[in-house]
Amino acid sequence: MPDLRPVVPTAQVLTLLNQHFSAPILDLTPVEGGQVAHVFSFRVEKQEYIVRFNLDKMLSSNFPKEAYVARKLAGTSLPIAPILHVGRLGDLHFAISRKMPGKMLQEHTPQEVQALLPQILDLLEAAHSVDTSETQGYGVFDYRGRGSDASWRASLLKVADEEDERDYFGKWHRLFDETFLECDLFEKLYQYMQELLAFCPEERTLLLGAFTTRNLLAQDGKITAVLDLLDASYGDRVYDIVSLDFWWPPLGIREAFLAYQRQHGRELPFYAERLLCYECYQALIGLRFYAKSGNEQGYQMAREIIQQKLAASGR
């Protein structure tokens, strides 16, 4: 799989960090596991930090948007890493934040992750309760909190549209001819998603977006950090559980989320249809990404998951 992270020489990182800290930079070490950001950990005296680098074309909103979301969530129970500095280094965005304790949920045992499910639901509730009345738009929003689309439906339908050449996917329709991305499969999933959108409400809940086992840290039976707020958006609260349900179905979050909502006096009409709609969208995003990055194993995994879900629904 090609490395999609920007190349950032260690000497250049040290020069940048020395501009923000008066004490020596110690133990500068690359952090593995990310797919689009180049991440380093380091220490200044006894305090540990993280610095991340992204290309403009990788994530259009980037770290100033993450700082905005962190401010919106500051009064909630969500454990967010304090962001100390955001800025530019040539054509890169960078963010320096405190290093949070714990390890990714995907590095815990299934039993440990299962035990964290009540905390996961509480964190989602905290995010979904944030007031969005002073913001506008739907879908992914920018560093000012402005959604990119006029409706939730429109924000999902544009997954089939080509992008500006400066963006990561750019004129990506050529992937149908140049890679293993299957045009018939993509069009079928898009058609299913379009049909199922009729069951999805035009809700403007604050969504965390990339709510996965890679973006949650835990330690000693407690979730210690919610990472990567760059995909935060406005839309249907059901969407926020799709990544976990799609990639980690044994967790049982779809059943637990429905029960949790009912305990809080909320019904979720057409719940199964909404979930399947967003899972089609998740598959479209995943298939396109894996084709672009040359990861055929990931592509086949996503393909198998969505086909199983469609078969289970009778489609």
Side-chain angles (χ1 to χ4, degrees), residues 187-250:
E187 290 179 349
K188 180 177 75 172
L189 292 176
Y190 186 80
Q191 179 66 32
Y192 286 156
M193 184 194 76
Q194 194 170 23
E195 293 171 2
L196 290 163
L197 275 171
F199 299 99
C200 301
E202 288 292 318
E203 187 178 297
R204 289 195 70 256
T205 297
L206 175 65
L207 308 178
L208 294 175
F211 201 68
T212 71
T213 55
R214 299 178 62 88
N215 293 327
L216 293 169
L217 302 184
Q219 182 174 276
D220 300 327
K222 183 178 177 58
I223 294 178
T224 54
V226 179
L227 307 177
D228 191 357
L229 303 172
L230 292 165
D231 288 333
S233 59
Y234 305 127
D236 178 5
R237 69 184 62 225
V238 171
Y239 178 83
D240 247 354
I241 68 166
V242 168
S243 289
L244 281 174
D245 185 60
F246 192 89
W247 297 108
W248 200 312

Side-chain angles (χ1 to χ4, degrees), residues 4-78:
L4 305 179
R5 300 171 300 173
V7 176
V8 193
T10 301
Q12 197 172 7
V13 177
L14 282 170
T15 298
L16 171 69
L17 295 178
N18 283 323
Q19 296 172 5
H20 293 280
F21 296 91
S22 56
I25 306 299
L26 306 172
D27 303 330
L28 182 66
T29 307
V31 176
E32 299 301 326
Q35 294 178 309
V36 296
H38 205 141
V39 183
F40 296 84
S41 64
F42 64 99
R43 180 168 58 87
V44 177
E45 296 179 335
K46 295 183 178 181
Q47 179 64 55
E48 293 183 293
Y49 299 90
I50 292 289
V51 59
R52 294 168 293 155
F53 297 90
N54 271 335
L55 286 166
D56 277 340
K57 66 179 181 178
M58 301 302 282
L59 295 161
S60 59
S61 296
N62 237 289
F63 299 125
K65 185 256 187 80
E66 189 169 80
Y68 169 86
V69 180
R71 291 193 299 271
K72 295 288 287 185
L73 297 173
T76 72
S77 59
L78 272 78

Side-chain angles (χ1 to χ4, degrees), residues 54 125 127 181 200 233 260 274 278:
N54 271 335
E125 178 68 15
L181 182 61
C200 301
S233 59
Y260 189 97
R274 287 155 72 177
Y278 304 145

